């Protein structure tokens, strides 16, 4: 089954929370591209991972370091298995076959989506594993994991655990799988956001009406300047080629383009299949050393 990637339409970080996390607001968009994962039950207590690493060459080693070829204890699937088993020791072990396509350090939720796939597998095994418990465990594993347990797209706030499903018009886009590595911790530290002890204001827990309307209508050009990623200035300063990539996507036909997450992948949304194919051809010609992926949502 597909373990889908996500992209962020905008990612604002208004302040740092007293608990050490940063407050975020973003639209999470689920793609029809990602990892392929198969899970089967085995004897209780056993965990087996069999990976086929198809990540772009520059980032392939990052996954190998936490796969069965490296330190498996650092793998999010193993961490998820361990956490589930501490609560439900009677559940079976798992053998997981993973075709890994989503690169790490990309802003695409590659680890979180895998964790959600495993939780969904266990969630379907018995009525005692209720959805509230599932969401609690998911949030403990990672802030993005609860999103991947749902089917739709969402406006996300809090530290990532507060979600409101929203309507987004179907569409197409191009994703550039970039080789640059941006440390999430360093990117957040670079924002230098002030500590905020007060409860969040209403403006941080809702979307502007014009933004919601543009999302429903699929008017991606209307999102320019309204949905922004606060990490872009930092990312483009460290790797100017990422900024040039975004500019090229817009110049060659994308209606909206952005860094996703804290980076380093860049995407462009388009108004139709024909435009997407033209954009893909132009980008592959201009950036022959990069890998581009077409996606729908």
């Amino acid at each position: 089954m597909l373990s889908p990637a996500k992209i962020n339409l905008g990612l604002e970080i208004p302040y740092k929370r007293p608990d050490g996390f940063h407050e975020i607001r973003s639209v999470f968009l689920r793609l029809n591209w990602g990892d392929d994962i198969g899970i089967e039950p085995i004897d209780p207590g056993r965990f087996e991972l069999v990976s086929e690493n198809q990540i772009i060459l520059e980032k392939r080693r990052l996954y190998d370091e936490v796969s069965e070829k490296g330190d498996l204890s650092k793998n999010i699937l193993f961490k998820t298995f361990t956490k589930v088993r501490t609560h439900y020791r009677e559940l079976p072990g798992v053998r997981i076959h993973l075709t890994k396509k989503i690169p790490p350090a990309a802003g695409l939720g590659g680890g979180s989506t895998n964790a959600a796939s495993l939780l969904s597998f266990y969630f379907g095994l018995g009525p005692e594993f209720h959805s509230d418990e599932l969401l609690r465990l998911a949030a403990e594993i990672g802030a993005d994991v609860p999103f991947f347990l749902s089917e739709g797209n969402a406006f996300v706030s809090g530290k990532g655990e507060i979600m409101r499903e929203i309507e987004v018009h179907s569409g197409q886009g191009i994703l550039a799988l970039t080789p640059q590595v941006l440390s999430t911790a360093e990117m957040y530290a670079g924002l230098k956001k002030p500590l905020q002890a007060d409860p969040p204001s209403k403006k941080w827990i809702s979307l502007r009406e014009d933004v919601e309307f543009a999302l429903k209508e699929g008017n991606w050009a209307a999102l320019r300047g309204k949905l922004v990623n606060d990490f872009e200035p930092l990312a483009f300063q460290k790797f100017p080629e990422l900024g040039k990539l975004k500019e090229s996507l817009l110049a060659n036909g994308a209606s909206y383009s952005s860094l996703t997450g804290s980076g380093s992948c860049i995407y462009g949304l388009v108004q139709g299949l024909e435009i997407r194919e033209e954009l893909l051809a132009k980008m592959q010609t201009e950036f022959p050393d990069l890998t581009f992926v077409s996606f729908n949502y």
Side-chain angles (χ1 to χ4, degrees):
M1 65 178 175
L2 179 67
S3 197
K6 63 85 180 166
I7 55 174
N8 297 79
L9 300 184
L11 178 53
E12 296 181 59
I13 317 295
Y15 57 83
K16 188 174 182 179
R17 297 151 50 112
D19 59 9
F21 291 94
H22 285 79
E23 186 77 11
I24 75 166
R25 52 181 273 127
S26 180
V27 173
F28 281 16
L29 195 64
R30 181 186 315 274
L31 307 188
N32 71 336
W33 174 85
D35 297 335
D36 294 321
I37 190 168
I39 306 172
E40 58 181 304
I42 58 176
D43 294 339
R46 290 180 56 198
F47 176 91
E48 296 179 11
L49 177 61
V50 181
S51 302
E52 180 183 345
N53 191 341
Q54 294 185 4
I55 295 170
I56 56 171
L57 290 174
E58 296 88 349
K59 290 184 175 178
R60 189 168 294 181
R61 65 169 182 82
L62 297 178
Y63 175 72
D64 282 341
E65 290 172 358
V66 299
S67 73
E68 69 274 22
K69 298 176 183 177
D71 185 352
L72 193 58
S73 67
K74 296 181 179 179
N75 188 284
I76 194 169
L77 282 165
F78 181 77
K79 292 178 180 179
T80 301
F81 166 77
T82 301
K83 182 170 285 289
V84 169
R85 194 165 182 269
T86 60
H87 294 273
Y88 299 93
R89 298 190 66 85
E90 71 278 8
L91 290 174
V94 287
R95 179 180 294 115
I96 301 172
H97 296 269
L98 180 64
T99 302
K100 192 66 184 170
K101 302 176 185 177
I102 306 173
L108 298 170
S112 296
T113 187
N114 293 165
S117 293
L118 181 53
L119 286 175
S120 295
F121 167 79
Y122 276 125
F123 177 67
L125 288 179
E128 74 282 356
F129 206 76
H130 298 296
S131 58
D132 287 347
E133 176 70 4
L134 182 66
L135 291 174
R136 185 184 68 79
L137 287 174
E140 290 177 3
I141 294 164
D144 292 350
V145 178
F147 166 73
F148 288 106
L149 292 173
S150 64
E151 293 295 327
N153 305 302
F155 172 66
V156 179
S157 58
K159 61 183 181 181
E161 84 287 6
I162 302 173
M163 296 182 297
R164 176 172 65 85
E165 192 164 321
I166 59 173
E167 183 181 347
V168 179
H169 196 283
S170 60
Q172 303 83 31
I174 298 292
L175 176 66
L177 302 181
T178 52
Q180 290 82 4
V181 175
L182 293 166
S183 164
T184 301
E186 290 178 5
M187 292 294 282
Y188 272 99
L191 292 175
K192 297 182 172 61
K193 291 294 180 176
L195 183 66
Q196 169 67 276
D198 296 329
S201 63
K202 289 184 178 181
K203 75 173 184 175
W204 297 120
I205 57 176
S206 62
L207 274 175
R208 287 168 41 177
E209 289 185 8
D210 58 339
V211 171
E212 288 220 40
F213 183 76
L215 291 170
K216 289 179 182 179
E217 294 294 305
N219 186 359
W220 313 129
L223 299 177
R224 293 194 201 182
K226 296 176 182 177
L227 288 180
V228 298
N229 187 326
D230 285 349
F231 290 109
E232 282 193 351
L234 291 173
F236 296 170
Q237 181 179 19
K238 185 169 185 178
F239 296 113
E241 57 269 36
L242 294 178
K244 293 177 181 177
L245 182 59
K246 175 182 175 178
E247 291 173 2
S248 183
L249 281 163
L250 291 170
N252 285 310
S255 297
Y256 178 84
S257 179
S258 176
L259 182 79
T260 182
S262 58
S264 63
C265 285
I266 306 283
Y267 66 86
L269 305 184
V270 299
Q271 302 287 164
L273 287 170
E274 185 175 340
I275 296 176
R276 184 178 71 180
E277 296 311 306
E278 292 176 357
L279 174 61
L280 178 60
K282 290 177 181 177
M283 298 303 293
Q284 288 173 331
T285 299
E286 187 173 346
F287 300 92
D289 295 330
L290 283 185
T291 299
F292 293 92
V293 173
S294 296
F295 62 80
N296 296 335
Y297 50 89

